[in-house]
Amino acid sequence: MEIQADYFDGKSSRRHSVRFRLETNGGLVLIGLASEDLKRRFEPDEVTVEPRLGNAPRRILLPDGALLETPENDAVDRALGGGGKNLHALERRWRYAFLALAIAIAFAWGGVRWGIPALAETAAFALPEESRALLGDQALAGMDKTKLFRPSHLPKETKDRLAARFFAMEAALKTDEKTTLAFRRGKGRIGANAFALPGGVIVMTDALVDLAENDDEVMAILAHELGHHARRHALRQLLQNSLAALFVAAMAGDVFSLSGLSGALPTLMLQTGYTRDFEREADRFALEALKTLGLPPRTFAAILSRLVASQGGARGLSFLRTHPHVEERIKAFE
Amino acid sequence: MTDSPPSESFPREVPFQFTGAGGEYFRIWIVNLALSILTLGIYSAWAKVRRLNYFYGNARLEGLGFTYLANPKNILIGRILVVIGLAAFLAAERWIPGSQGATTLLFILLWPWLVCRARSFNLKNTAFRNVRFGFDGTYPQAFGPLVVRAFLTGVTLGLLYPHFLYARNRFAVSFSRFGKTGFGFTATPGDFHSMFWKSVGWVILMVILGAVLMNGLILSVAAHAPKDLNPSEAVHFAVMTFLPVAGFALPMLLLRAYFLARTANLVMNHITLDGKPCLRSELSPFVMMWLYASNAALIIVTLGLFTPWARVRMADYRASRLTFLDHGVLERVLTDAGEESDALGEEAGDFMDVDVDVGF
């Protein structure tokens, strides 16, 4: 079977229109080549048929840099005996494309859902103590700079009593990193709240202490915050944000730059997912802590319920806003 | 100064064609992406060559296609070296305080070298009619257009940007060749300046549009914010949703499309091969803006899956508006015997997006 092609000798761009035949042993014969001193017959080891790529012109490499270029991909495949198992066979069928799509989506989903948190966790626990402590100092200073937090109005005796009990609890739970307990008066919308900053700083507002019926309830909340600290949640959250953004940027790097913005939305949605995981982890820690200290788990549920009642739902920067999904968590503690 | 052809020989007009199809390219793109994932990224060098060859091979002149000849192994090595280099760069910044200035300076000095290597690698590994292209620009020749001009642009707050653009394109084109036949560049700095001045109206319009859209979005999103936030918190909330940023980004994207079309036309129409003008580019800025906007919207809506179709669409349009003017040169270009160059420059260029864009 003769196939139409263009012959290029490798020394100039001159195009020679020819026909060729591929033999069963792999050799090639050129037909209709005008010039006499150009070789006509090629042995199998002198001929390289390039793999097919869609319907792009097919190249056949000949010795001394010569080349045959033909658009007749199907004819070449038939002459080669059907095309066989190659990349084109995969790229031709829509079923493989869908399979590949499934793989890509699974990878993207898995990477973001599990890969990134795993990486962030490893990094957070690998960071040395000094750099985390530095982070903590800076975080607290930064927080104080915003006019939202003022020095606490609690009596010194209360603070000392709570601090002593807190550090005793910490020692009993054997969380071996250093923590700092900071009391602050939250202004305006902060209300009753407690949170763990990166670097081991746990902050508690006066309003929360006032809301608690006894020291046990305060300790329950602090145990939960200690859980955040022991599991390095704030730091992991920070790392996860950066990694997610990097991941989306890397994937989106394969597409037009504007779609990088479409990556911001999934990243935002991911954050709420991560937060839920962290809250559950901290709750688990708090549950264990209360058991160790001989306090009933209902203690935590009680203070949470009181928070819900006092604030009539999530509002502003309240505890409930920053610690979502309270109802389910209260149930876990009852 | 003038670029009309000599009157005694009218060139033969050979229109470019793009013969690729969106569905076909999607299958190739997604299969190669999956293989890259399954091989933890190692296959990605081969995937890149295959992807580029799809676009090169389907770009036709008289039925003949282009080819990308790079060796994927070299690209892989180049990528690994770039990652190592980047890591070293970041590590130096972390552990040697104050080194940031030195490393930045080093990078600026290195940049012309990277551009030369990237361009040389790209062109040497591009062939048409079995003849390779080539690039002969050297570091000293690159320094002026790439570093000095950039500096002058910054110093004049952007007023000398057209001249910078002129210098970059002239450097990229005039040292390129097809086989042994050299390209030339006949545009003047004045051509670039006048193009920018003529476009000032569009720039102003798009910036105003962007500001209006952004503010409009901030206000409308803030109006839908949770009721318990005070006005300043609501604005903060609105900004955080990224919608206002998108509102500003859209006119900027349109502006970019506009300039891409006009610059490509200007550059292409002033390229000569063997001393004679060889290209006619007739991109419409408005069609370009529409293509960019519609592609972006569809890509976002399909979470990126539309990308292969978008690329094919763009290639198809750009080919349809490009004509090669043949004064007989196509049949008589001689190949140039040169050594193979390795991929470090290409990968570094690709990684940091430094290749000088000549419109293709």
Side-chain angles (χ1 to χ4, degrees):
Chain A
M1 177 207 4
E2 296 184 355
I3 305 174
Q4 188 71 38
D6 286 292
Y7 174 85
F8 298 95
D9 61 9
K11 296 187 184 48
S12 86
S13 58
R14 176 117 184 264
R15 162 192 211 172
H16 307 260
S17 192
V18 296
R19 294 182 313 282
F20 71 94
R21 200 172 57 231
L22 276 171
E23 321 231 279
T24 40
N25 68 344
L28 187 142
V29 178
L30 283 178
I31 304 150
L33 197 53
S35 169
E36 280 303 324
D37 52 342
L38 282 168
K39 194 166 158 188
R40 305 294 185 83
R41 180 171 229 102
F42 298 92
E43 298 304 307
D45 61 344
E46 295 177 304
V47 177
T48 309
V49 180
E50 295 253 299
R52 182 169 178 174
L53 178 59
N55 258 323
R58 198 70 162 273
R59 291 155 36 95
I60 298 169
L61 307 178
L62 299 172
D64 300 318
L67 175 80
L68 277 174
E69 187 173 321
T70 175
E72 314 270 352
N73 275 297
D74 291 331
V76 172
D77 283 346
R78 275 199 302 274
L80 287 175
K85 281 202 271 280
N86 51 29
L87 211 44
H88 174 74
L90 288 179
E91 292 162 349
R92 226 181 70 223
R93 316 290 308 266
W94 276 103
R95 71 179 66 164
Y96 295 118
F98 285 127
L99 179 64
L101 185 61
I103 292 174
I105 290 178
F107 171 74
W109 177 246
V112 163
R113 190 72 189 82
W114 293 292
I116 288 179
L119 221 69
E121 188 178 338
T122 314
F125 282 98
L127 273 179
E129 178 70 38
E130 305 83 48
S131 55
R132 290 196 314 112
L134 196 66
L135 260 178
D137 294 337
Q138 286 179 339
L140 190 59
M143 197 191 77
D144 284 336
K145 267 214 197 75
T146 72
K147 298 299 167 47
L148 297 169
F149 292 93
R150 283 279 129 92
S152 170
H153 276 181
L154 292 173
K156 182 174 189 314
E157 178 257 348
T158 311
K159 286 197 282 190
D160 288 345
R161 189 184 73 235
L162 289 173
R165 197 141 169 224
F166 172 71
F167 288 115
M169 173 174 75
E170 198 194 354
L173 293 171
K174 297 199 214 26
T175 58
D176 45 341
E177 293 94 15
K178 284 211 310 287
T179 49
T180 315
L181 186 62
F183 293 94
R184 291 286 185 278
R185 184 164 51 94
K187 284 198 66 191
R189 298 180 171 277
I190 305 287
N193 211 335
F195 41 86
L197 296 173
V201 178
I202 295 178
V203 181
M204 176 162 250
T205 61
D206 293 356
L208 188 59
V209 176
D210 293 336
L211 190 65
E213 264 182 15
N214 49 49
D215 284 2
D216 287 347
E217 290 188 346
V218 177
M219 287 304 121
I221 296 272
L222 286 178
H224 172 95
E225 297 308 323
L226 200 60
H228 281 315
H229 162 68
R231 301 299 303 156
R232 316 261 174 118
H233 287 166
L235 186 57
R236 281 159 67 181
Q237 181 86 315
L238 218 70
L239 290 169
Q240 275 168 190
N241 285 357
S242 323
L243 282 174
L246 206 67
F247 182 82
V248 169
M251 294 285 278
D254 210 36
V255 308
F256 285 0
S257 55
L258 182 65
S259 70
L261 280 174
S262 77
L265 294 168
T267 319
L268 278 171
M269 294 188 319
L270 287 169
Q271 297 325 315
T272 48
Y274 290 151
T275 314
R276 252 199 301 275
D277 292 339
F278 285 157
E279 288 308 313
R280 266 190 234 121
E281 234 181 40
D283 282 350
R284 260 200 307 275
F285 183 93
L287 198 60
E288 285 304 309
L290 289 175
K291 280 211 195 96
T292 314
L293 297 170
L295 293 169
R298 255 182 297 108
T299 322
F300 192 40
I303 177 79
L304 277 183
S305 312
R306 212 164 303 125
L307 274 166
V308 173
S310 79
Q311 282 160 355
R315 187 181 301 144
L317 291 167
S318 71
F319 185 87
L320 300 165
R321 254 287 174 75
T322 51
H323 294 71
H325 310 284
V326 204
E327 297 79 23
E328 9 178 293
R329 296 164 56 214
I330 292 177
K331 288 208 179 42
F333 278 80
E334 274 170 354
Chain B
M1 244 191 291
T2 171
D3 50 45
S4 54
S7 55
E8 71 267 19
S9 65
F10 287 102
R12 193 170 58 98
E13 302 215 338
V14 188
F16 275 87
Q17 276 180 304
F18 183 70
T19 54
E24 183 183 62
Y25 182 56
F26 172 75
R27 294 198 299 272
I28 292 173
W29 177 75
I30 193 71
V31 166
N32 281 277
L33 180 64
L35 286 171
S36 297
I37 289 171
L38 291 172
T39 58
L40 302 177
I42 293 177
Y43 178 76
S44 62
W46 281 260
K48 172 177 176 174
V49 171
R50 202 160 170 80
R51 267 191 350 252
L52 280 176
N53 259 319
Y54 183 80
F55 284 91
Y56 278 48
N58 280 304
R60 320 270 201 121
L61 272 178
E62 298 172 302
L64 299 169
F66 289 75
T67 327
Y68 187 59
L69 296 160
N71 186 342
K73 274 194 225 126
N74 287 334
I75 290 181
L76 188 62
I77 294 171
R79 282 186 170 173
I80 293 171
L81 287 173
V82 164
V83 168
I84 292 175
L86 193 69
F89 182 78
L90 292 172
E93 279 196 49
R94 243 200 121 228
W95 280 311
I96 308 173
S99 72
Q100 195 175 9
T103 39
T104 311
L105 185 66
L106 188 69
F107 185 73
I108 291 175
L109 292 176
L110 218 57
W111 194 49
W113 178 78
L114 282 174
V115 171
C116 284
R117 290 207 64 129
R119 192 152 178 80
S120 175
F121 182 85
N122 273 334
L123 286 183
K124 200 169 293 239
N125 283 302
T126 305
F128 177 66
R129 287 175 168 239
N130 204 29
V131 173
R132 291 184 189 235
F133 289 79
F135 181 71
D136 303 315
T138 58
Y139 183 88
Q141 289 158 334
F143 196 80
L146 295 176
V147 176
V148 175
R149 286 278 153 205
F151 175 72
L152 286 173
T153 303
V155 155
T156 57
L157 300 174
L159 280 178
L160 284 184
Y161 183 70
H163 201 135
F164 176 39
L165 212 57
Y166 157 78
R168 255 170 44 191
N169 278 290
R170 180 159 165 274
F171 172 70
V173 172
S174 57
F175 291 106
S176 299
R177 54 181 163 76
F178 176 46
K180 284 204 170 92
T181 311
F183 287 99
F185 193 61
T186 56
T188 64
D191 292 328
F192 281 82
H193 279 289
S194 77
M195 180 191 85
F196 270 85
W197 281 115
K198 285 188 197 146
S199 310
V200 154
W202 278 104
V203 175
I204 293 175
L205 178 68
M206 286 302 161
V207 169
I208 291 177
L209 191 64
V212 164
L213 269 176
M214 183 167 73
N215 284 313
L217 279 169
I218 288 180
L219 288 173
S220 63
V221 173
H224 288 89
K227 294 288 173 256
D228 56 311
L229 299 178
N230 66 34
S232 70
E233 283 172 348
V235 167
H236 187 75
F237 172 80
V239 170
M240 292 290 276
T241 61
F242 289 98
L243 276 172
V245 173
F248 187 73
L250 177 63
M252 291 303 108
L253 185 74
L254 294 180
L255 201 58
R256 183 160 163 244
Y258 173 86
F259 271 109
L260 194 89
R262 296 214 55 171
T263 310
N265 285 346
L266 176 60
V267 169
M268 301 287 208
N269 289 333
H270 287 94
I271 295 181
T272 65
L273 180 63
D274 201 27
K276 301 195 184 63
C278 63
L279 288 173
R280 188 174 67 234
S281 173
E282 294 159 307
L283 294 170
S284 155
F286 305 107
V287 173
M288 208 56 142
M289 289 197 276
W290 161 249
L291 275 178
Y292 259 66
S294 53
N295 277 343
L298 286 165
I299 287 175
I300 289 177
V301 156
T302 60
L303 300 178
L305 287 180
F306 186 73
T307 308
W309 280 272
R311 287 229 162 101
V312 166
R313 234 174 138 214
M314 186 59 77
D316 194 62
Y317 177 65
R318 298 193 70 164
S320 73
R321 305 271 91 203
L322 191 64
T323 312
F324 183 79
L325 308 168
D326 185 24
H327 291 268
V329 68
L330 277 183
E331 285 281 294
R332 46 182 172 78
V333 171
L334 297 175
T335 54
D336 183 85
E339 334 82 51
E340 214 177 280
S341 71
D342 62 77
L344 175 57
E346 138 89 353
E347 277 315 299
D350 196 45
F351 197 75
M352 289 176 261
D353 198 20
V354 300
D355 192 14
V356 182
D357 184 19
V358 188
F360 246 163

